[in-house]
Amino acid sequence: MKIAIISASIRHGRQTHFVSEELGRRLNASNDIEASLVDLADYAFPLFQDTHKADAPQHGADELRTILQQADGLLFVSPEYNGSYTAALKNMADHFSKAEFNKKAIGVVSVSSGAIGGMRGALQMQQLVLALYAYPIPQMMLVSEVQHKFDEEGKLTDEAFAKKLDTYLQEFLWFASAIYEKKKRGNRG
Ligand SMILES: Cc1cc2nc3c(=O)[nH]c(=O)nc-3n(C[C@H](O)[C@H](O)[C@H](O)COP(=O)(O)O)c2cc1C
């Protein structure tokens, strides 16, 4: 099963990308999972205007479209910025069509330096997932005080947090694989 991790913090000095990388390591530790880390900092999409124009800049859109199309499930990993998810995530979603996301399980992971862990960003990401005709898994992963969970190289240093990540991934994979199996069966049940 293929999972795309959309890492939606693009600022210099970002902490959220450590969370995305850790999720990728944990998913790829399983033989059945192939996780791709999509760093939105690598896809400098202009603010969405009109991608149908022949001369519209592509900025890796074809490559990313293929990754999205091949993904059986996705994780949206975003910091909470001003009570929401990042403009980079919304801009990426607007550049593609619902077809890339339709009927896929999407887990939301919201990251914050504060104590609450980006609850508002997570709720809004779940609304975005619905707008893409995808299925938000009911559990959300709220990462509070991210600055205390990794060292400077991005190595996870908080064991309790590691357990929470694994519990969340188990829930996510339950939903993602249920949908994946259903698609494989097609109309046979
Ligand atoms: C523009 C901006 C807005 C922010 N707004 C919030 C917020 O609404 N709630 C919050 O808990 N943290 C907020 N933060 C702090 C982030 O939680 C913090 O930067 C954290 O490290 C995760 O984001 P990062 O990936 O940019 O590092 C904001 C940070 C920036 C740069």
Side-chain angles (χ1 to χ4, degrees):
M1 191 166 62
K2 290 192 169 142
I3 305 297
I5 302 165
I6 310 298
S7 191
S9 178
I10 63 171
R11 74 172 181 92
H12 290 290
R14 61 196 176 165
Q15 300 273 320
T16 299
H17 198 60
F18 291 153
V19 179
S20 307
E21 289 177 327
E22 187 62 32
L23 288 163
R25 279 191 286 273
R26 281 168 192 270
L27 284 169
N28 279 321
S30 162
N31 287 336
D32 317 335
I33 310 288
E34 189 186 326
S36 312
L37 183 57
V38 175
D39 181 354
L40 291 186
D42 292 340
Y43 296 92
F45 294 119
L47 271 185
F48 174 74
Q49 295 175 25
D50 188 356
T51 49
H52 305 297
K53 277 179 13 195
D55 60 349
Q58 288 303 307
H59 299 280
D62 288 343
E63 177 193 286
L64 183 47
R65 184 177 292 103
T66 303
I67 294 172
L68 295 173
Q69 283 169 345
Q70 290 180 352
D72 301 298
L74 296 97
L75 289 170
F76 285 175
V77 187
S78 175
E80 182 177 87
Y81 281 177
N82 295 317
S84 185
Y85 50 84
T86 62
L89 177 60
K90 182 63 162 57
N91 195 41
M92 182 281 293
D94 293 345
H95 271 271
F96 296 99
S97 72
K98 293 186 202 303
E100 271 75 59
F101 304 97
N102 187 28
K103 289 193 170 72
K104 293 181 182 177
I106 302 186
V108 302
V109 180
S110 189
V111 180
S112 160
S113 55
I116 303 191
M119 167 66 85
R120 291 176 297 177
L123 288 168
Q124 292 194 29
M125 270 191 278
Q126 289 191 326
Q127 295 295 317
L128 172 64
V129 171
L130 289 170
L132 298 171
Y133 294 174
Y135 304 124
I137 77 156
Q139 293 82 359
M140 48 182 80
M141 180 77 217
L142 302 179
V143 183
S144 60
E145 300 184 337
V146 63
Q147 68 278 17
H148 300 314
K149 294 189 163 49
F150 296 89
D151 69 14
E152 281 174 11
E153 272 78 50
K155 187 170 175 297
L156 184 64
T157 54
D158 181 333
E159 271 312 305
F161 174 61
K163 286 203 181 92
K164 281 188 191 166
L165 278 181
D166 283 337
T167 304
Y168 179 75
L169 285 176
Q170 265 176 19
E171 291 294 335
F172 167 68
L173 291 173
W174 189 97
F175 283 95
S177 55
I179 294 166
Y180 173 71
E181 295 297 333
K182 167 66 191 157
K183 283 185 187 163
K184 273 206 313 198
R185 288 195 304 273
N187 292 330
R188 285 178 285 117

